[in-house]
Amino acid sequence: MDACCSFSSTLILQCLLLTQPQQPLTNHFNKKMLSLRVGPSTSFHSRRFHTGALERRWRLGRDCFLSFSHRKGTGLGVRSVNSEMAPFTAAEEETLPEGLQPELMPKHVAVIMDGNGRWAKNKGLQPWDGHRAGVEALREIVELCGKWGIQVLTVFAFSTDNWIRPKIEIDFLLNLFERTLKSELQTLAKNNVRISIIGDSSKLPKSLLKVINEVEQVTKNNTRLQLIVAVGYSGKYDVLQACRGIAQRVKDGEIEVEEIDERLIEQELETNCTEFPYPDLLIRTSGELRVSNFLLWQLAYTELFFAQELWPDFGRSGLIEALMSFQQRQRRFGGRKS
């Protein structure tokens, strides 16, 4: 869940340079397309890039700046049909990797996608490079889950605890989420993927709420894989809103206090959107050994797997390793094997 650290004016100016690298900086200021204040100590250092890295850096800078210009109304006139992320390929059924047994596959996998910021920092890139790479990693995992028969994938995209971060960072992340939903919708729908969004939506932008509603409506009858994205979510928030819902029902005379049980609480949790609310396997990347306020009630008997790889590096091989580990465990749920 690493997110970008505070963005400096230097970073935004680099974005501007990357949106149209063939034009000198003075052209932008002469045309008064954007006004920036840069401190006198600000300096730019040339770096050497191989072709692929340079192209990726330009594309990431362009998309980042377009995100801000789209939200703030700063028209640069450089939006391109190619600015949207390419959809993943159609998820065809495939034989499971060697060693994995279909009868032991988890029905529900949850993922804490941690390490985007550190991945970018380690490569000398900007924070949003890490988030873009994180989206690519998620696309691959969604495709693999669809191919291998996993029925529910829940990913932790944005925590309620993340609202304390700088506003400019939050705006970027939510705009990236909105753009990704738009660009992936048709592909996910064609691949029979149902999308559900959970979390406190009260602080989300109206434009994002509109897209979320559209995505959930378009994909609500899809059955191959359910992708649950937790945005503005935390496990404590989930339990709290469930308690409030139950208390209101008691107040309204719908139920008696004595009727409150685990089944009733489960019905009020945000994961009531799925047939399989309890994850069989939780994967957390980046080497951190904690659940970070994610699905606290639902993880009661979940098997935990902590991967050393940062999220953008966690791909097919990482998922196979996690699934192999899961299939080697004995799940007793408090009982004892005879």
Side-chain angles (χ1 to χ4, degrees):
M1 288 289 294
D2 274 338
C4 29
C5 47
S6 62
F7 290 92
S8 67
S9 57
T10 300
L11 199 57
I12 300 301
L13 189 51
Q14 286 177 330
C15 278
L16 178 58
L17 285 167
L18 290 170
T19 58
Q20 290 183 322
Q22 74 280 7
Q23 297 183 8
L25 179 62
T26 52
N27 287 352
H28 292 286
F29 286 101
N30 290 340
K31 294 178 182 179
K32 297 182 179 180
M33 300 178 81
L34 183 66
S35 176
L36 294 173
R37 291 185 178 179
V38 183
S41 61
T42 301
S43 61
F44 296 95
H45 301 280
S46 298
R47 294 183 179 180
R48 293 184 178 180
F49 298 95
H50 59 75
T51 304
L54 182 59
E55 180 182 358
R56 181 171 63 252
R57 181 93 179 233
W58 180 87
R59 190 179 299 123
L60 288 164
R62 175 202 60 197
D63 286 351
C64 173
F65 200 83
L66 286 175
S67 294
F68 285 112
S69 64
H70 174 69
R71 183 170 297 279
K72 302 297 183 183
T74 307
L76 292 182
V78 294
R79 183 174 294 276
S80 166
V81 292
N82 296 323
S83 64
E84 301 297 345
M85 300 175 189
F88 62 75
T89 56
E92 300 296 337
E93 295 291 349
E94 69 171 32
T95 304
L96 284 175
E98 184 178 357
L100 289 178
Q101 303 177 54
E103 66 275 12
L104 297 179
M105 291 294 286
K107 290 183 172 63
H108 185 168
V109 174
V111 181
I112 299 175
M113 305 178 292
D114 194 13
N116 291 343
R118 278 169 283 173
W119 181 90
K121 183 177 180 180
N122 291 345
K123 294 182 178 295
L125 302 174
Q126 301 296 349
W128 55 62
D129 294 86
H131 291 298
R132 176 67 178 270
V135 171
E136 296 296 330
L138 176 58
R139 179 185 289 109
E140 181 182 12
I141 297 303
V142 170
E143 183 176 353
L144 292 174
C145 287
K147 288 179 177 180
W148 295 347
I150 294 170
Q151 298 182 52
V152 182
L153 173 65
T154 300
V155 296
F156 204 4
F158 188 84
S159 168
T160 55
D161 301 321
N162 294 147
W163 286 113
I164 64 174
R165 293 179 174 180
K167 183 178 184 301
I168 195 168
E169 173 187 345
I170 295 171
D171 287 347
F172 171 75
L173 290 172
L174 295 181
N175 191 263
L176 176 63
F177 179 46
E178 182 177 332
R179 287 167 56 83
T180 301
L181 285 177
K182 288 180 180 178
S183 63
E184 299 291 338
L185 174 56
Q186 293 306 316
T187 301
L188 291 169
K190 289 178 181 177
N191 284 282
N192 202 15
V193 177
R194 177 187 173 191
I195 305 174
S196 302
I197 312 297
I198 63 174
D200 182 4
S201 62
S202 63
K203 295 182 180 180
L204 298 181
K206 291 182 179 179
S207 60
L208 176 55
L209 291 175
K210 182 178 179 180
V211 173
I212 288 173
N213 182 66
E214 177 187 0
V215 166
E216 290 185 327
Q217 287 298 315
V218 170
T219 65
K220 65 181 180 181
N221 295 320
N222 293 347
T223 58
R224 183 176 198 164
L225 170 70
Q226 183 174 9
L227 173 61
I228 302 176
V229 184
V231 180
Y233 177 90
S234 75
K236 290 181 179 180
Y237 153 80
D238 202 358
V239 173
L240 179 59
Q241 65 85 27
C243 290
R244 286 173 174 167
I246 293 172
Q248 187 63 51
R249 294 178 64 182
V250 172
K251 181 179 179 180
D252 294 342
E254 296 181 16
I255 57 174
E256 299 295 330
V257 172
E258 292 75 19
E259 298 179 72
I260 300 174
D261 56 14
E262 290 186 15
R263 178 192 58 81
L264 188 60
I265 294 175
E266 177 184 316
Q267 291 175 357
E268 294 291 334
L269 292 172
E270 298 255 322
T271 45
N272 62 10
C273 61
T274 181
E275 181 182 356
F276 305 104
Y278 296 107
D280 301 296
L281 171 64
L282 170 72
I283 300 170
R284 181 178 184 141
T285 59
S286 85
E288 303 292 350
L289 306 178
R290 54 181 178 269
V291 297
S292 293
N293 203 3
F294 185 45
L295 299 174
L296 297 181
W297 176 281
Q298 296 88 336
L299 294 180
Y301 280 102
T302 298
E303 298 294 326
L304 308 180
F305 182 86
F306 299 100
Q308 291 300 312
E309 297 95 338
L310 301 175
W311 173 245
D313 293 327
F314 183 86
R316 180 187 178 94
S317 61
L319 182 59
I320 292 174
E321 183 182 0
L323 294 173
M324 291 285 288
S325 176
F326 173 80
Q327 293 195 352
Q328 293 168 4
R329 305 182 191 186
Q330 291 187 355
R331 306 186 71 194
R332 294 184 289 274
F333 300 97
R336 180 182 292 116
K337 294 288 185 179
S338 57

